[in-house]
Amino acid sequence: SSGINAEWPLRPGKRVKDTYGFSGVAVTDTGNLGGKLVGMVTARDIDFIDDFGQSISEVMTPRDKLITANHGVSLREANQILQASKKEKSTDCDSALIPLL
C-alpha cells in the first residue's frame, strides 16, 4: 500500500479512491508508506471538488487535526481513542506511517 504526496495534484488521490474504493488515503512527505504522515485526504474532501488540478495539501486534513496514537498502542486503547474522538480511522503518530485500523 502507498500514500500520496501533499504537493501532488488532487487527481491521483481521486484515482486511488475511484480505482480501489478507499475512503481515505494517507498523505506522506515521500508519497509512500513509511514516509512521515502529513495528513489524510478522504472521500469527503474530494467528493464535491471540481478542480482536480489543485494540490492535495489544499483539501487534505493536516496531521495536527488527525486523531493519532503512539506506536505500540493496543487495539483496545486505539478503539477507545477512536470512540472518544468520534472518528473512523487512526494511525500511528511516530515519524513513519503505520496504519492501525
Side-chain angles (χ1 to χ4, degrees), residues 20-37:
Y20 300 105
F22 294 148
S23 62
V25 179
V27 181
T28 66
D29 61 344
T30 63
N32 295 308
L33 189 63
K36 183 176 180 185
L37 178 66

Side-chain angles (χ1 to χ4, degrees), residues 79-87:
N79 281 323
Q80 289 171 340
I81 291 167
L82 290 173
Q83 185 176 35
S85 72
K86 308 286 190 211
K87 302 291 182 185

Side-chain angles (χ1 to χ4, degrees), residues 22 40 46 64 66 68 71-73 75 80 97 101:
F22 294 148
M40 292 282 291
I46 62 175
D64 63 347
L66 296 175
T68 62
H71 182 69
V73 67
L75 182 58
Q80 289 171 340
L97 174 66
L101 301 174

Side-chain angles (χ1 to χ4, degrees), residues 39-58:
M40 292 282 291
V41 64
T42 68
R44 285 177 270 209
D45 295 325
I46 62 175
D47 277 346
F48 302 104
I49 298 287
D50 291 325
D51 177 12
F52 288 97
Q54 62 186 313
S55 70
I56 289 169
S57 64
E58 294 178 72

